[in-house]
Amino acid sequence: MSKVKLINAARILVGPDLEPMADAAVLIDSGKIAAVGTRSDVRAPSGAEIIDLGDATLLPGLIDAHLHTFGVDSTRLHTLATEHESYRAARTLSELRELLHAGFTSARCLGSTIGPQVRRAIDEGFAEGPRLKVAGGFISSTSGTWDSSGTPLSIARAGGELADGVEGLVLKVRERVRQGADFIKLGLSKGGVHDRYHAWGDDPLNQVVSYSVAEVRAAVDEAHRNGLKVSAHAIGEDAVKLALDGGIDVIEHGYGISDETRQRIVAEGKIVVTTLSQIHYHRQAYDKFNYPEWEREVYERHWVYMLRDFKRGLKAGVRFALGTDLVGAPTHPLKAAAMEFVLAVECGMAPSAALRAGTIIAAEVLGSQAVTGSIEVGKLADLVATRLDPAQDVSTLLEPAFVMKGGETVVSA
Ligand SMILES: [Zn+2]
């Protein structure tokens, strides 16, 4: 196979601002972008492989800034604590292959104990999937975001995700570094003390924070010392304030907040990851999977404030990155990740802004903006093509016509 490739397309969205260029071409050498320009400007050397995409639009490979490589049935997430890791790895690798074929050349796993080894299998070429940045296991306080009171405490502790106190958090961050995490994920909000659905909580406006500022700062300092960013699961005013006070780098979910806190997010330039798909797909699954009435009510409440604050955030100038929070089939299949673009636009984001939020801004969240996230000379040839112009109709992203990762064709035109 030739290591020099030339891709021709009717339209290429070039650079971090996705500037449309008509009758354009990209030259690829050894997996990287060597030249971008009009067809008359970019010539293929003899022997190059020519890929002609016809009327299609070529854009940077899509990036999901928030998903989970759980590898268990999404309707039985409690089995995360008991299911064999070898089964989970096989299952999630199959789903990650589908995600890559759906146009996502990079993704970020916000919590799964097998994430580092799954990333390794993909990087070493034993499995097909997006480039991954992984948190490894969650970090939760005892009684915090992911600590269900239904699990005996000894079993919860054995899972290795609970950490309390300044020293406990420093140690837990060091364990994550040792396990190969690319960044740290902390849970800062939980439902009320007697909440029925712990991680999300009955009421997004009345979430209880799960750590003190001192604990968060200790984790952030230790992570930064190791060159790792920290992401926070933060829903509700107090949790998002805690994230800001504690120096968290990226805010996940980030709704149920006041205008004052929103202004702080804007002033401090923090990126908020959207996760609209998570509740969207629960809503799609209510009837088919017989969700109990109370659980539907919880998601309906979250949906209201998630949409409200996404819209308010757009007006206020919050920097959003697109992340789905997909956790796997059957309710939240990773291959459905492009729906996040459609939902963001339905909620008022301009299509061009959504495309940036799911490419270059998401790359910034991953810490990968120097190597991917836009079509620029020197970056990896991570590319996707759509039949229609996605800046006019983002739903065309749901069925990509062509996908390339690092110069290797994944889906042929
Ligand atoms: Zn998540």
Side-chain angles (χ1 to χ4, degrees), residues 248-310:
I248 292 283
D249 300 290
V250 181
I251 297 167
E252 312 295 321
H253 319 300
Y255 57 86
I257 61 172
S258 67
D259 286 333
E260 190 188 342
T261 295
R262 196 175 350 269
Q263 286 307 327
R264 249 188 99 187
I265 292 172
V266 174
E268 296 183 20
K270 299 289 182 193
I271 296 177
V272 175
V273 181
T274 52
T275 71
L276 299 164
S277 299
Q278 165 70 220
I279 296 180
H280 168 78
Y281 280 111
H282 277 304
R283 298 180 89 225
Q284 302 296 305
Y286 285 166
D287 292 336
K288 189 171 177 196
F289 294 94
N290 296 312
Y291 281 45
E293 203 53 46
W294 66 262
E295 195 176 4
R296 299 178 191 215
E297 284 170 11
V298 168
Y299 288 130
E300 288 303 306
R301 270 196 291 278
H302 278 264
W303 186 237
V304 167
Y305 292 104
M306 186 183 259
L307 295 192
R308 183 197 77 172
D309 283 359
F310 179 64

Side-chain angles (χ1 to χ4, degrees), residues 66 68 110 185 253 325:
H66 186 143
H68 295 273
L110 272 287
K185 170 80 176 297
H253 319 300
D325 208 3

